[in-house]
């Protein structure tokens, strides 16, 4: 099972920092995401793109998680040589993560 | 209008190149009090600054003319005030242009220009950049510096009775928060309301992104009529709580999912979303679906505004040269890879800063696994160089693969772009003085 099967995500950028929201379709899956989608696991999953720290914010009232990934955009949107300089596609990459 | 207990604000554009007609539809059918147009990304203003250097009447949004020709008649007819940052690097010239369009159309409006965000002459070389900690002195070729202004820059324009308020760099949510403070008389110290108003502003600032735009998925997330998404309207109550909705007979959707995605979009700390106005707390926000395409938003909080303002500094960062070429059939990925190796060898040592992507294999997800069957593969090469001619060699070498590279390469494209980098610094807000200019009919 993939994260894609139970949650959706939107990527955002600020300088060299990538943000990824993670929102379960069903409220009851929030606890499961809390348990299984740790900052460490996300850092490992995105290890080829994200070179800095990954921080996880828990938002129980919204039933959502937010991952803030540093040094994740190849030096930043304006000067990077990659085709998706904003890291917009990384929401899809996150949702490709396997769930146990 | 002052007797109304709610204020209706529409979000008519989420970036400079956004669709034109949704804002006209919002003004014509939305029973709005205010429309906002957010048209200014981080780098947009640096590029606009360069156009202003060449022409003192240039440097505002390139779509201003087309947007205002469509919008002005509807704004006047329905008495909707407009607050927009499409002044970019030259709000005064933008305001004069809007006034000229109004005269040409026979419409009477007062236009305000809000400036003072240009702080280029206040930069000090020792200021540390937020991105790297290195001082500004390490970034030669600085061409622009614009501070993020807040509601205190916009409120005087509203108080002066402007129908249209044109700003340069202001924080996006401030475009919405200023009308709310003006209409409801919120105090600048009322951090809870300022925080909740900033939540509403953040939800409106990206146009369709809260209404199912940038949300659609072929399998998991349905969005009705995505070719004609209706842009958002917030009907805001006196305490800042708001109902988000859109016009009938438009595409898109507004539900808890679309609102949550937008609420957390580009947020690096949901407990303290910093703007010049407030440190807004998004973690306390409560969302409730009231009806189809109607979500009630309340509970946002806040802490006092920062003492220093963020300044975006644009600097010349050389040139980027790019080239692409496609391969198909058996071994396509391997041929693209071989072609990349040839280019790398050809460009050593002149363009050492080179990126080689196999599109469809590893251009986005760098750890992506190679596909098991070859259908087609596009090679993309990007290189950085200090001058345009050198950057141009990247595309030239890719094009030369036609007669020199692996078999079957086709569809070569090349380009050279000047790179304007952006770094940020903080400046004491006492050093930054917003200015207001009024252009009466």
């Amino acid at each position: 099972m993939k994260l894609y099967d139970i949650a959706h995500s939107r990527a955002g950028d600020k300088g060299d920092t990538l943000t990824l929201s993670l929102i379960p379709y069903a409220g009851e899956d929030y606890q499961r995401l809390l348990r299984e989608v740790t900052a460490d696991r996300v850092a490992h999953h995105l290890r080829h793109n994200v070179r800095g720290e990954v921080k996880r914010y828990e938002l129980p009232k919204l039933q959502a998680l937010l991952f803030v990934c540093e040094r994740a955009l190849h030096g930043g949107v304006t000067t990077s040589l990659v085709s998706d300089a904003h890291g917009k596609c990384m929401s899809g990459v996150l949702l490709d993560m396997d769930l146990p | 209008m002052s007797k109304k207990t709610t204020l209706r604000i529409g979000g008519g554009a989420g970036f400079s190149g956004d669709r034109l007609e949704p804002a006209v539809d919002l003004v014509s059918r939305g029973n709005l009090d205010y429309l906002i147009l957010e048209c200014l990304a981080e780098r947009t203003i640096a590029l606009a600054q360069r156009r202003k250097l060449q022409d003192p009447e240039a440097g505002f949004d390139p779509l201003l003319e087309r947007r205002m020709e469509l919008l002005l008649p509807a704004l006047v007819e329905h008495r909707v005030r407009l607050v927009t940052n499409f002044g970019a690097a030259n709000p005064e010239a933008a305001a004069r242009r809007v006034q000229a369009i109004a005269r040409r159309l026979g419409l009477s409006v007062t236009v305000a220009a809000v400036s003072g965000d240009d702080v280029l002459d206040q930069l000090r070389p020792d200021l540390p950049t937020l991105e790297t900690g290195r001082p500004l002195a390490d970034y030669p070729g600085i061409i622009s510096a614009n501070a993020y202004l807040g509601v205190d820059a916009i409120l005087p324009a509203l108080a002066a009775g402007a129908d249209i308020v044109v700003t340069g760099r202001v924080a996006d949510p401030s475009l919405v928060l200023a009308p709310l403070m003006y209409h409801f008389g919120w105090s600048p110290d009322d951090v809870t309301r300022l925080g909740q108003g900033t939540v509403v502003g953040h939800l409106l600032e990206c146009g369709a992104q809260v209404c199912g735009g940038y949300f659609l998925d072929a399998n998991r997330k349905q969005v009705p009529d995505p070719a004609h998404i209706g842009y958002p309207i917030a009907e805001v109550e006196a305490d800042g709580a708001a109902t988000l909705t859109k016009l009938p007979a438009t595409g898109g959707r507004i539900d808890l999912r679309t609102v949550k995605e937008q609420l957390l979009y580009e947020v690096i700390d949901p407990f303290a979303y910093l703007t010049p106005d407030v440190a807004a707390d998004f973690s306390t926000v409560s969302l409730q679906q009231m009806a189809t395409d109607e979500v009630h938003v309340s509970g946002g909080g806040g802490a006092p505004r920062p003492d220093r303002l963020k300044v975006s500094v644009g600097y010349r960062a050389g040139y980027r040269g790019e080239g692409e070429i496609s391969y198909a059939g058996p071994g396509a990925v391997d041929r693209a890879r071989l072609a990349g190796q040839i280019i790398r060898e050809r460009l050593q040592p002149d363009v050492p800063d080179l990126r080689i992507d196999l599109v469809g294999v590893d251009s986005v997800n760098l750890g992506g696994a190679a596909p098991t069957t070859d259908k087609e593969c596009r090679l993309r090469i990007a290189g950085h160089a200090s001058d345009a001619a050198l950057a141009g060699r990247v595309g030239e070498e890719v094009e030369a693969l036609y007669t020199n590279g692996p078999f079957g390469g086709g569809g070569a494209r090349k380009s050279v772009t000047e790179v304007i980098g952006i770094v940020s610094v903080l400046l004491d807000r006492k050093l930054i003085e917003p200015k207001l200019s009024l252009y009466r009919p």
Side-chain angles (χ1 to χ4, degrees):
Chain A
M1 182 186 240
K2 300 276 191 193
L3 214 37
Y4 173 78
D5 296 316
I6 63 164
H8 54 108
S9 171
R10 178 173 294 177
D13 64 281
K14 279 270 185 292
D16 200 11
T17 301
L18 167 73
T19 67
L20 292 164
S21 58
L22 187 65
I23 304 159
Y25 285 103
E28 60 267 28
D29 281 328
Y30 177 68
Q31 290 303 325
R32 183 174 179 192
L33 294 182
L34 263 185
R35 238 179 9 252
E36 287 167 4
V37 192
T38 60
D40 283 349
R41 278 208 70 204
V42 169
H44 180 75
H45 182 68
L46 303 179
R47 66 193 177 281
H48 301 290
N49 295 69
V50 176
R51 283 166 296 169
E53 190 197 349
V54 174
K55 191 184 228 175
R56 183 178 87 169
Y57 289 99
E58 299 165 13
L59 299 158
K61 199 152 180 205
L62 292 167
Q63 295 197 307
L65 297 175
L66 179 69
F67 296 90
V68 178
C69 313
E70 289 172 7
R71 295 174 59 220
L73 297 174
H74 307 270
V77 174
T78 52
T79 54
S80 137
L81 289 176
V82 302
S83 56
D84 173 26
H86 293 85
K88 297 272 189 192
C89 299
M90 296 307 289
S91 52
V93 177
L94 175 66
L95 295 179
D96 196 33
M97 184 193 258
D98 288 312
L99 277 181
Chain B
M1 197 172 81
S2 57
K3 294 207 183 79
K4 285 185 58 176
T5 55
T6 62
L7 199 68
R8 281 171 72 87
I9 305 182
F15 79 105
S16 168
D18 212 344
R19 291 177 183 167
L20 300 180
E21 72 284 356
V24 183
D25 197 19
L26 276 179
V27 174
S28 304
R29 297 199 288 138
N31 192 24
L32 298 184
D33 299 296
Y34 287 85
L35 177 77
I36 65 145
L37 299 172
E38 198 290 293
C39 299
L40 206 48
E42 262 201 324
R43 189 166 43 169
T44 320
I45 203 160
L47 301 170
Q49 191 73 36
R50 279 198 319 180
R51 295 199 300 274
K52 184 184 171 186
L53 287 175
Q54 286 156 6
D55 173 0
E57 279 299 301
F60 50 79
D61 189 279
L63 280 179
L64 177 148
E65 192 111 9
R66 283 173 64 194
R67 282 195 195 281
M68 290 315 291
E69 278 177 357
L70 290 170
L71 264 176
L72 265 173
L75 288 169
V76 171
E77 182 187 344
H78 299 280
R79 297 171 186 229
V80 177
R81 300 175 90 177
L82 171 67
V83 184
T84 173
N85 58 9
F86 70 22
N90 204 344
E92 282 88 1
R96 283 192 290 272
R97 184 63 62 91
V98 171
Q99 190 56 272
I101 297 166
R103 284 195 193 115
R104 194 167 76 226
L105 299 174
L107 301 169
S108 172
V109 290
T110 296
V111 187
V114 173
S115 59
D117 56 311
D118 184 346
V119 294
L120 188 57
D121 54 10
Q122 297 193 51
L123 293 183
R124 298 189 321 266
D126 63 308
L127 283 173
T129 58
L130 301 182
E131 287 78 5
T132 62
R134 284 155 51 199
L136 273 185
D138 287 8
Y139 297 87
I142 288 174
I143 56 169
S144 69
N146 293 82
Y148 281 80
L149 304 181
V151 290
D152 41 359
I154 302 172
L155 283 167
L158 297 175
D163 303 298
I164 293 168
V165 181
V166 181
T167 76
R169 174 58 71 209
V170 299
D172 299 345
S174 309
L175 299 170
V176 170
L177 183 57
L180 293 174
M181 288 176 71
Y182 178 68
H183 183 80
F184 293 122
W186 294 347
S187 152
D189 303 323
D190 189 346
V191 290
T192 303
R193 284 187 171 135
L194 266 53
Q196 169 62 22
T198 296
V199 167
V200 177
H202 180 68
L203 290 172
L204 290 182
E205 76 185 41
C206 291
Q209 275 199 174
V210 74
C211 307
Y214 209 58
F215 180 84
L216 173 68
D217 180 44
N219 302 308
R220 295 293 272 124
K221 298 191 287 185
Q222 308 297 316
V223 174
D225 194 12
H228 304 94
I229 294 182
Y231 280 33
I233 298 168
E235 176 146 351
V236 190
E237 298 147 40
D239 64 353
T243 303
L244 277 176
T245 183
K246 64 185 187 68
L247 291 173
T250 56
R253 74 183 316 135
I254 299 179
D255 62 18
L256 299 185
R257 295 169 181 172
T258 68
V259 176
K260 283 181 193 178
E261 278 201 18
Q262 181 54 26
L263 183 65
L264 297 177
Y265 175 64
E266 288 187 329
V267 172
I268 53 174
D269 183 350
F271 295 85
Y273 180 80
L274 282 185
T275 78
D277 310 316
V278 66
D281 186 353
F282 290 3
S283 71
T284 52
V285 168
S286 157
L287 302 175
Q288 209 182 345
Q289 183 97 41
M290 310 301 286
T292 305
D293 296 328
E294 256 187 59
V295 169
H296 192 255
V297 183
S298 61
R305 67 185 199 180
D307 292 329
R308 293 185 296 173
L309 296 184
K310 186 168 128 175
V311 176
S312 276
V313 179
Y315 65 98
R316 289 182 201 277
Y319 293 82
R320 180 172 54 241
E322 289 175 86
E324 297 188 7
I325 191 166
S326 296
Y327 295 90
V333 171
D334 289 336
R335 272 178 283 141
R337 197 173 274 127
L338 279 174
Q341 286 162 8
I342 293 169
I343 302 291
R344 189 183 288 286
E345 194 174 332
R346 295 281 304 170
L347 289 173
Q348 292 297 347
D350 302 338
V351 189
D353 195 359
L354 209 59
R355 181 175 175 85
I356 300 180
D357 289 329
L358 303 179
V359 178
V361 180
D362 66 358
S363 72
V364 172
N365 186 6
L366 305 186
T372 48
T373 57
D374 290 344
K375 281 292 234 183
E376 58 180 60
C377 181
R378 189 152 177 88
L379 170 71
R380 171 187 178 269
I381 301 196
H384 182 263
S386 55
D387 70 79
L390 208 49
R393 277 203 51 210
V394 176
E396 287 161 17
E397 287 293 346
V398 170
E399 197 174 46
L401 291 167
Y402 268 141
T403 51
N404 298 279
F407 89 83
R413 297 277 186 283
K414 60 181 177 182
S415 67
V416 176
T417 319
E418 184 175 5
V419 181
I420 303 296
I422 296 285
V423 287
S424 311
V425 296
L426 295 173
L427 267 188
D428 189 330
R429 66 190 306 150
K430 291 192 207 84
L431 298 172
I432 298 164
E433 204 175 327
K435 289 191 207 76
L436 171 65
S437 314
L438 285 175
Y439 300 86
R440 300 202 183 271

